Amino acid sequence: MSASSASPAIRLPFDELQQLLRAIFQHHGCSEKVAAALACNCASAQRDGAHSHGVFRMPGYVSTLASGWVNGQAEPKVTDVAAGYVRVDAAGGFAQPALTAARPLLVSKARSAGIAVLAIHNSHHFAALWPDVEPFADEGLVALSVVNSMTCVVPHGAHKPLFGTNPIAFAAPCAGHPPIVFDMATSAMAHGDVQIAARAGQALPEGMGVDADGQPTTDPQAILDGGALLPFGGHKGSALSMMVELLAAALTGGNFSWEFDWADHPGAKTPWTGQLIIVIDPSKAEGERFAQRSRAMVEQMHAVGLTRLPGERRYREREIASREGVALSAEELAGLNALLR
Amino acid sequence: MSASSASPAIRLPFDELQQLLRAIFQHHGCSEKVAAALACNCASAQRDGAHSHGVFRMPGYVSTLASGWVNGQAEPKVTDVAAGYVRVDAAGGFAQPALTAARPLLVSKARSAGIAVLAIHNSHHFAALWPDVEPFADEGLVALSVVNSMTCVVPHGAHKPLFGTNPIAFAAPCAGHPPIVFDMATSAMAHGDVQIAARAGQALPEGMGVDADGQPTTDPQAILDGGALLPFGGHKGSALSMMVELLAAALTGGNFSWEFDWADHPGAKTPWTGQLIIVIDPSKAEGERFAQRSRAMVEQMHAVGLTRLPGERRYREREIASREGVALSAEELAGLNALLR
């Protein structure tokens, strides 16, 4: 979903935006390392046109930090569990700095064992998931990640919400192309996109969610005000969402989407759960180089008429931003500056 | 989809059915080991009411073996690649005996490294996928498998079929319950269910597939006669199907769903592709035992009104079959006996 701003776009160099966001995070109590990880993630989303996870998220980060719900200074504790297994206790902080801390060990294990898993728990994830996996593909690795979030999705066949929007992200290298990357909520719609639609007063398509009485609605505000989302694709999306709960929470030692209670932290917005990342080294495979095969697949996808592959819109936006700067509305920039006061 | 037979069900003890199927496979040129693996898989599907992968598949297996397309005597070659990576060349035979051959090494690697992957290539898979993953969960492991198949699904946004039905199966242990298991085609419908509907002359729901001209149809025969299926859940299911191609084919060294040509083998029905299985040892996790957490999730799912969890219908049918025998129609049994001549 694109940003819906009345004013013309301001173009800010990526580094400048990242610096501004880093300053905001530090101003609100984050350590330098945490601020750097979150600023990079959030600025990247804005740069790539993924607005529901761009600067739109900053007030939520700030109110969460102010509420004491998340530890902006957390030092993640990395444990080398086994030849293919790394565990991180994010210590009540954000998942991104936990990934940053564990990443070198994870990559070295994946390259040596052929596959490795990173199990993050006691972590907060409030961001797009593709920035967590794309860099692995840049290094020639295949990555899959899942993160559970907060109760807002009614399992298929149930009458009350239980699961989170529980995204799945995947990244794979592709010869002569940027990596093939997707990041999909297992809900019919991402929560951030519901928030953006509500702010813009736009109706949603049918089948996205229900209101507080469990009745189908196209009003995003009704979904936010005690309503809930539906899974995508009926019982199949619902089963995938369940799988995300098991992998991201049960397997990591993190909270399920329904297990944390932030009632004592008004302003808290970040789900306190877990995240799983699986990294595979495709050079262990039989036959041709993986990236060549991946490229062959892309060519076939074009041949059957696909004009846009997963991730391509983001790369196009990124390319424009690298020339012209990252697009922000004047209101968005003013909002960011206000967060520095 | 349930079997649609006119005659009342005959009940055959599971072992007897398995023995009959094994005899049929051997009669048509399979080695003892291959026959045992396939008979167990197919009889299990019939027992659990998964009729599109039960004895319904036997004529397809037999015509494929007769066509010389698949090697019923193949000896899989297992390679110990790395601490978490096992590769199997199925040698042009079926994937199930390849899994059987590699399984002990895979399980021992998963327990020691925390995670392990089995990459099967040069393999034929014509069966349900859940029988491949469920046994890992019986041993307390978490398993995820993907297999690509044959071009019959139009990627979202394309105008011609490319992907296979490309199922994803998942299994996880659950304390005091049988494992939580799902097996879902990433197509809107499984190919076997389309075949069953066509045989029964039943119309399909909207949104399942297109005819040979690319027009939406509810006629299963039109889908089989040059038409194609659609992915489930629009662009999300389509992205998952693409991921299955990358993991099951590109990563293993197997064929993509569009790469094999069986024109010289009339009667051939089995896709010649690859399969990936990821196995995780949840005892490496932080906190409570995984199976307890999994059980806690199931209780919450019941609390929000879910009456049937993934896999539960199969367990119910299995329970009935264990008391009364596996249900077959008289026609089905006659058909099986005819395959022994």
Side-chain angles (χ1 to χ4, degrees):
Chain A
M1 187 163 287
S2 57
S4 54
S5 59
S7 61
I10 292 166
R11 293 279 181 175
L12 215 60
F14 178 72
D15 284 349
E16 225 171 276
L17 176 61
Q18 215 179 340
Q19 223 170 314
L20 173 58
L21 300 185
R22 202 158 50 216
I24 294 170
F25 282 117
Q26 289 194 252
H27 184 69
H28 290 274
C30 287
S31 69
E32 209 176 306
K33 269 192 284 194
V34 170
L38 297 179
C40 176
N41 178 299
C42 185
S44 300
Q46 185 73 19
R47 175 196 64 194
D48 290 7
H51 292 117
S52 61
H53 292 96
V55 300
F56 172 72
R57 292 265 154 169
M58 291 302 291
Y61 275 116
V62 165
S63 70
T64 305
L65 285 159
S67 78
W69 172 243
V70 67
N71 180 1
Q73 307 268 340
E75 287 286 343
K77 296 182 225 19
V78 178
T79 309
D80 184 341
V81 177
Y85 204 110
V86 184
R87 199 162 63 204
V88 193
D89 179 350
F94 290 100
Q96 290 80 7
L99 167 57
T100 304
R103 206 178 178 288
L105 185 60
L106 175 65
V107 167
S108 107
K109 281 185 188 293
R111 292 209 190 277
S112 138
I115 187 169
V117 60
L118 176 63
I120 304 175
H121 74 284
N122 197 5
S123 55
H124 294 251
H125 204 293
F126 191 57
L129 195 52
W130 59 264
D132 296 354
V133 292
E134 191 188 302
F136 292 104
D138 287 330
E139 294 185 55
L141 300 164
V142 173
L144 181 68
S145 184
V146 291
V147 58
N148 64 318
S149 51
M150 61 181 178
T151 293
C152 63
V153 172
V154 182
H156 185 78
H159 50 66
K160 278 168 64 181
L162 181 67
F163 299 148
T165 51
N166 296 4
I168 300 175
F170 175 78
C174 181
H177 269 261
I180 299 172
V181 179
F182 66 73
D183 173 1
M184 58 171 71
T186 53
S187 50
M189 199 167 183
H191 207 261
D193 286 333
V194 179
Q195 293 168 44
I196 284 188
R199 196 180 59 172
Q202 284 166 346
L204 303 177
E206 306 263 331
M208 298 294 117
V210 295
D211 63 19
D213 299 323
Q215 297 305 311
T217 184
T218 58
D219 175 7
Q221 199 57 51
I223 292 175
L224 299 175
D225 293 345
L229 288 162
L230 294 170
F232 91 96
H235 73 278
K236 294 185 180 185
S238 191
L240 290 169
S241 187
M242 179 198 72
M243 179 184 78
V244 173
E245 294 289 345
L246 287 171
L247 293 177
L251 198 65
T252 64
N255 291 318
F256 286 122
S257 293
W258 55 90
E259 282 189 321
F260 53 87
D261 179 5
W262 50 23
D264 291 344
H265 297 270
K269 303 277 183 196
T270 59
W272 178 35
T273 59
Q275 179 179 7
L276 196 81
I277 305 178
I278 294 171
V279 180
I280 307 178
D281 179 2
S283 77
K284 300 289 189 289
E286 180 74 24
E288 263 182 277
R289 277 187 58 231
F290 178 87
Q292 303 292 343
R293 299 280 292 150
S294 174
R295 169 64 177 264
M297 183 193 75
V298 165
E299 282 163 8
Q300 288 299 319
M301 288 170 74
H302 285 308
V304 297
L306 274 177
T307 50
R308 204 175 80 186
L309 297 178
E312 276 191 354
R313 191 179 69 95
R314 284 196 296 271
Y315 295 129
R316 211 175 43 228
E317 296 275 340
R318 193 180 301 180
E319 210 267 314
I320 296 169
S322 76
R323 287 196 317 270
E324 304 177 9
V326 181
L328 289 171
S329 70
E331 288 83 354
E332 283 172 328
L333 188 57
L336 292 179
N337 284 320
L339 293 176
L340 272 176
R341 283 196 292 270
Chain B
M1 188 165 285
S2 59
S4 54
S5 58
S7 61
I10 292 166
R11 292 282 180 172
L12 215 61
F14 178 71
D15 283 349
E16 226 171 275
L17 175 61
Q18 214 179 341
Q19 224 170 313
L20 173 59
L21 300 185
R22 201 158 51 215
I24 295 169
F25 282 117
Q26 289 194 253
H27 184 68
H28 291 274
C30 287
S31 69
E32 210 176 305
K33 268 191 285 194
V34 170
L38 296 180
C40 175
N41 178 299
C42 185
S44 300
Q46 185 73 20
R47 176 196 62 193
D48 290 7
H51 292 116
S52 60
H53 292 95
V55 300
F56 172 72
R57 292 266 154 168
M58 290 303 292
Y61 275 116
V62 165
S63 71
T64 305
L65 286 159
S67 78
W69 171 244
V70 67
N71 180 1
Q73 307 268 340
E75 288 285 344
K77 296 182 223 24
V78 178
T79 309
D80 184 341
V81 177
Y85 204 109
V86 184
R87 198 162 64 205
V88 193
D89 179 350
F94 291 98
Q96 290 80 7
L99 168 56
T100 304
R103 206 177 178 287
L105 185 59
L106 176 64
V107 167
S108 104
K109 281 185 188 295
R111 292 208 189 279
S112 135
I115 187 168
V117 61
L118 176 64
I120 305 175
H121 74 284
N122 196 5
S123 56
H124 294 251
H125 204 292
F126 191 56
L129 195 53
W130 58 264
D132 296 354
V133 292
E134 190 188 301
F136 292 104
D138 287 330
E139 295 186 54
L141 299 165
V142 173
L144 181 67
S145 183
V146 291
V147 56
N148 63 318
S149 52
M150 60 182 179
T151 292
C152 62
V153 172
V154 183
H156 185 78
H159 50 67
K160 279 169 62 181
L162 181 66
F163 299 147
T165 51
N166 296 4
I168 300 175
F170 175 78
C174 182
H177 269 262
I180 299 172
V181 179
F182 66 75
D183 173 2
M184 59 171 72
T186 53
S187 49
M189 199 167 181
H191 207 260
D193 286 333
V194 179
Q195 292 169 45
I196 284 188
R199 196 179 60 171
Q202 284 165 348
L204 303 178
E206 306 263 333
M208 299 293 117
V210 294
D211 63 20
D213 299 323
Q215 298 304 311
T217 183
T218 58
D219 175 7
Q221 199 57 50
I223 292 176
L224 299 175
D225 294 345
L229 288 162
L230 294 171
F232 92 95
H235 73 277
K236 293 185 180 184
S238 191
L240 290 170
S241 187
M242 179 200 72
M243 178 185 79
V244 172
E245 294 290 346
L246 288 171
L247 292 178
L251 197 65
T252 64
N255 291 316
F256 285 122
S257 294
W258 54 90
E259 282 188 321
F260 54 87
D261 179 5
W262 51 22
D264 292 343
H265 297 270
K269 304 277 184 196
T270 58
W272 178 34
T273 58
Q275 179 179 8
L276 196 81
I277 306 178
I278 293 171
V279 180
I280 307 177
D281 179 1
S283 76
K284 300 288 190 289
E286 180 74 24
E288 265 182 275
R289 279 188 56 232
F290 178 87
Q292 304 293 344
R293 297 280 293 150
S294 174
R295 169 66 177 264
M297 184 194 73
V298 165
E299 282 164 8
Q300 287 300 317
M301 288 171 75
H302 285 307
V304 296
L306 274 176
T307 51
R308 205 174 81 188
L309 297 179
E312 276 192 354
R313 191 179 69 96
R314 285 197 295 271
Y315 294 129
R316 209 173 45 228
E317 295 276 340
R318 192 180 301 181
E319 210 267 315
I320 296 169
S322 76
R323 286 196 317 269
E324 303 177 9
V326 181
L328 290 170
S329 70
E331 287 84 353
E332 282 171 330
L333 188 56
L336 292 179
N337 284 320
L339 294 176
L340 272 176
R341 284 195 291 271

